[in-house]
């Protein structure tokens, strides 16, 4: 899934095309998680920097999935740094209780289930490429990023009913494609 670092041209996908395609979804993704516009902008730029350092992005089978994997990893790194700082300041009151809660949360997350979930998500994201870019992006913002339809409408400068139509179109497309009723 990783790109080539064989010294070919930086990539067939330019920084400006990455920016045009992913800035809004990435900003939404980060804003919903960090709540700070400046930090969301910084994280978005770091995603673009990592993507451009890969080499030939054409070698990445599912660019959308890869972009958001990079974004999720940046958030994990940010969380680890914050947790290290918090651990240094705050003692854990009951390690047994914390271990019990974590065990319950992780119990059903076997490597096989995680891999199957990632493969399924990757397949759905690839299928969404068959839709128009706007429909795909609106569906991802609504269903995967849990952004409200009203917020999406404001973000794109369209009516909420138009957002609803894009979501419905993508939902029906996926239902037909995967045989769901």
């Amino acid at each position: 899934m990783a790109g080539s670092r064989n010294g070919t041209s930086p990539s067939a996908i330019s920084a400006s095309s990455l920016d045009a395609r992913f800035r809004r979804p990435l900003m939404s993704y980060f804003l919903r998680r960090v709540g700070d516009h400046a930090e969301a902008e910084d994280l978005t730029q770091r995603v673009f920097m990592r993507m451009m350092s890969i080499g030939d992005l054409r070698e990445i089978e599912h660019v959308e999935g890869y972009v958001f994997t990079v974004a999720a990893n940046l958030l994990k790194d940010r969380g680890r740094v914050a947790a290290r700082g918090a651990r240094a300041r705050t003692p854990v009151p009951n390690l047994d209780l914390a271990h019990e809660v974590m065990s319950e949360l992780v119990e059903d997350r076997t490597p096989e289930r995680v891999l199957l979930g990632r493969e399924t998500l990757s397949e759905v994201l690839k299928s969404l490429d068959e839709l128009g870019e706007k429909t795909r992006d609106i569906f991802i913002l609504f269903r995967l990023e849990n952004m409200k339809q009203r917020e999406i409408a404001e973000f794109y400068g369209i009516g909420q009913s138009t957002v609803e139509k894009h979501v419905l179109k993508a939902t029906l497309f996926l239902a037909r494609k995967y045989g769901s009723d």
Side-chain angles (χ1 to χ4, degrees), residues 139-157:
F139 181 79
I140 289 171
L141 289 172
F142 181 68
R143 290 292 182 199
L144 299 179
E145 298 303 322
N146 298 318
M147 196 172 180
K148 291 180 174 40
Q149 289 183 354
R150 176 184 43 77
E151 294 170 333
I152 296 169
E154 289 172 10
F155 185 72
Y156 278 99

Side-chain angles (χ1 to χ4, degrees), residues 10-26:
S11 72
I13 300 174
S14 69
S16 61
S17 67
L18 276 174
D19 185 79
R21 185 169 181 187
F22 294 109
R23 174 164 298 283
R24 285 181 175 176
L26 282 170

